[in-house]
Amino acid sequence: MKPKKLINIVAIVLMVGFAYAAINIAPVLSDEENTYLGGLVWTNFLDEGLAAAQEQHKPVLVYFWAVWCQYCELFETETLHDSKVNAALKNDFILVAVDLDENREVASRFGVSYPPHELFLDEYGNIITRIPGYVDADTFYSVVSDVSSNYNSNSNSNSNSNTNLNSNSTDNGDDQVEEAVI
Amino acid sequence: MIDGNIVLYLSMLTAAVALFGLLLKELRNDDVYMGIVPWASRATFVLLGFDLLLLTYHFITSDFTIMYVWQFTSLSLPLVYKFAAVLAGQSGTLLLWSLIIFMCSTWIAETKKWDNPFVRQVQIVTIITGMFFTVLTIMESPFATIYALDSTLPPGFIPQDGNGLNALLINPWMAIHPPTVFIAYGVATIPFAAALVYLLTGKREWEAFARQWTRLTWLFLTFTIALGGLWAYLVLGWGGFWAWDPVETSSLIPWITITAYMHAASQYRKDKNVFNIGAPVLAIITMILVVYAALVTRSGIFESVHAFGDSPSGMMFLIFIVAAVLVTIALVARKISHEKDKDNDNDNDSDSGDKNEDEDEDEISIYDYLSKKSIQFYITVVLLSILTFISFWGITFPAIIQLVKHMKVGVGVEFFNIWGYPAFIALMVMMGYCLQRGDYKFKKQSLIAVSAATVLLSFVSIGPEFHVMDHTSNFWTAQPFLYKLIGSISLLSMMPPIMYVIGAALDRMFVDFKAKPSGKVLARKTGINIIHIGMALILFGAVMSVSFTTSIGADVYLNQIGEVVFLDDGYAVKVDEYLPESGSGVYPGDKISDVKRNPSAYPSTQVSGKISEIQSIGSYTGFKLSDGNDYIWVATGGADIAVGDELTVSGSVMRDFESSSTGMVFDAIIFASDLSSISAGTDTSQKVYLEVFKDGKRIGKGVSEYVVYKQGDATHPMVDRSLTHDVYVIFQGASSYSIPLTILIKPFVNEVWIGVILFSVGIMLIAGSEMNLRRRREFE
């Protein structure tokens, strides 16, 4: 056999094998109803999430992501998969995942320009706080635990907070500063 | 004002006239219109150039009645970014793309003259391609008015302010990135056209004709990718310059194919029977992949920061791709069958000779083969094709699955790293071997030694992060066997090929300099050598900076400003100063000082600012709104407001108002009809001045900034560079009690940028060495 032909055959076999393997190995991130990021199940619809939040009196984490977003993937594997973070999100939050490619309306409503972006809302849809971009598990966990502990203590008194123009209510947490991360 | 759309139609008309004249000459050998063809061609270029200037003018004057202008700019945008905003969306870039194509076409016409049939044929293809993009520009006209797009708007309505430029695009690198993209894309049309004409007519001067254009395309594609990477590094603020985002990847793919094309063409140049199909096909594929990149970047199939909504051009791009692929397949099939016919004719005469050659090939060893330049280049081209395919497939198959199964699947950075690494290492070994001087025996020994060292070092592990895939990541545990297998390759394996390439290239440079050839020959040879050194540096820098980044989290309490805060692993950080909201005067809406100075010009106004004082004015609640430069009183019927709130106020301005109940007098006061919160709409910035220490020694100093613009937020990390590492600090906004910082120590990032500079200098040396020479030789 001519070596050029051999090279061609080897190259083609490699490429076809690669193409096949790649498709079969790729993990499923999302279907039409739910999204499966970071070992958690998220609803794809903000309304559904808010309704559930009002029922259960829990804060909402809205996670803006996209299929092509490589820092989202890092956030999912390193931060969301972290056992502390994972448990806290599962128990204390209503999880909504917004694919920026599909739901630009929600993104622009909250001024989100690029994924990943993590937005914490109260059950009425007011912004509690936000994290633009990727953060590691420790940093993220300190925010998550801040939000949930403040939420439990404030949720009764603060229920009409949607009339408050200044919606940045992390200010309440001065006395609850977590153990220093540093 | 001249309507830019009319100019677009006119340019189509002049292009059509030029095309008609050329076709008449080509098909009927009729010269009637040839006299006006050069003028029609020039006119097309001038008209499109005028249109781009006109669009720029609309941006500078903030003409918000034009949808495209409204969409991408706002009053508060600095002037230089108004220029940049011209290319922020699809419509503007399509206009530039058409302009560049006609610029090349006119340039060729002026320098090469029309009497050469090959040049005329290239012109025909170029003009058709240019017209295609002009049609696209018309379809998505940047000159469409808001009235045309929204019929409910009352005539004469002028928006007060534009939508604003995406915060991530407000950066000097982003200002020059788009022009380089479309210069590269536009110039790529010329090698494409030349290759197409060659496949059609068999005219062999195509390669010489396209050579300098190819180098120009390569140079600008390199700029495009590097500037995009630099922008991602400095703006996205997560510490990476390359993340295999589809947009990045899609711009890399034509770069790889045009690199493969240049290698194929260098052999074709010497022997017109080598790569006589491969080379033109690579030139054509490059153009197809350029259009694919445009599709990926701007259409709805895969969206990203570059994509600004669905556009009809996606379909047109697809049509272009399918048509170009089909035409190319047909032409290649025709060419192959022609050559088979020729071979058969020859076989009758020299049948035995061919057979002998075959037998010879069976007997000689693999090294004898490898010593042939054409085989070395063949393997190089094949390896580059494999890299092309890996990148192409990685961004394409998720879209196919999404279309077919309505499921989203993940393709991470690891996908590209894992599949690309072995191919890239093989390519580097081949590169070193090709570059190496010296006798055959020594080269053979070096090749065996380097390959053996590479394979052996693949198994040598020093730490968990010394692998293609980091073993400490959570990602690692979830991987299938095949990924774990390739992911276990030790990164030490990249060192022998990298040293091989650099050593071989330096050795050549040394010998070249000693031989004292003519300046042009030396320039060309040096160019080739430093480009390959650049490639080795880029690989080294990319792998090192991605795999060996140290990340340290810090949370500096506001009462710790000015103190050294000790962190893990001997690191420490000191925040020298923290400046929240230093971006005064950049609130959206009218400037308060303007409104106060001349209230009659603002019967109704919209201003934003912070409440600094609240007082009741009779039955109204009054508050003082300050935008940092000036303040104005606002009266409202009553609202839940507090000092410190940031608001946007709409309402009417009253001059010399005197409150009858309190006797207070106001030069100007706004009676608010609407108050709204502007938590996400203000242009504000938070700056942290800081120093980073390691074991008591300062390793970095600078400013890390978090800004919120009208169109969202952006981080401007601190980057303190050195040859061995960058100290990179991300700040994403302070909380009410602390300043969270992420400190990254990224090794050898600057080797990547040095590699890019070597690329650019190298290709300029090569192109420069052939300036003016080639044209006369080939076309006189």
Side-chain angles (χ1 to χ4, degrees), chain A residues 17-152:
Chain A
F18 147 75
Y20 180 79
I23 286 193
N24 283 291
I25 287 175
V28 173
L29 302 179
S30 179
D31 57 29
E32 277 159 350
E33 289 296 314
N34 293 305
T35 296
Y36 313 92
L37 302 169
L40 296 159
V41 181
W42 313 65
T43 168
N44 285 339
F45 308 99
L46 181 61
D47 317 350
E48 248 176 43
L50 286 175
Q54 281 170 25
E55 221 167 76
Q56 302 172 36
H57 300 294
K58 283 181 180 177
V60 180
L61 168 61
V62 189
Y63 171 46
F64 294 88
W65 69 290
V67 175
W68 44 264
C69 160
Q70 304 295 4
Y71 281 97
C72 300
E73 200 198 273
L74 190 67
F75 181 72
E76 286 146 25
T77 53
E78 298 301 319
T79 306
L80 293 181
H81 260 295
D82 178 89
S83 53
K84 273 188 304 183
V85 171
N86 208 287
L89 291 182
K90 222 177 247 170
N91 299 329
D92 305 335
F93 287 83
I94 301 295
L95 303 176
V96 179
V98 174
D99 183 336
L100 272 182
D101 289 349
E102 285 180 358
N103 204 337
R104 291 187 163 252
E105 189 268 319
V106 171
S108 65
R109 198 196 309 163
F110 292 106
V112 174
S113 55
Y114 197 85
H117 196 113
E118 299 87 52
L119 192 65
F120 293 89
L121 301 180
D122 68 15
E123 56 202 89
Y124 305 98
N126 300 302
I127 300 169
I128 299 173
T129 188
R130 59 168 79 218
I131 304 173
Y134 165 80
V135 284
D136 62 23
D138 288 345
T139 316
F140 190 66
Y141 182 71
S142 73
V143 177
V144 163
S145 48
D146 262 9
V147 169
S148 67
S149 54
N150 284 335
Y151 201 79
N152 293 337

Side-chain angles (χ1 to χ4, degrees), chain B residues 112-127:
Chain B
K112 300 260 194 291
K113 305 305 169 210
W114 300 96
D115 40 15
N116 182 315
F118 175 77
V119 172
R120 284 201 306 271
Q121 287 154 356
V122 167
Q123 290 286 6
I124 291 173
V125 180
T126 312
I127 291 177

Side-chain angles (χ1 to χ4, degrees), chain B residues 11 27 74 110 113 124 140-141 172 226 230 244 319 340 373 425 449 454 467 484 497-498 580 598 601 631 662 760 776:
Chain B
S11 74
L27 302 173
S74 58
E110 298 297 324
K113 305 305 169 210
I124 291 173
E140 290 193 30
S141 173
L230 195 56
W244 293 104
I319 292 171
K340 278 230 173 98
K373 262 268 156 9
I425 291 302
T454 307
H467 297 94
K484 283 199 168 169
I498 286 176
N598 188 6
Y631 68 87
T662 62
S760 321
R776 300 223 164 81

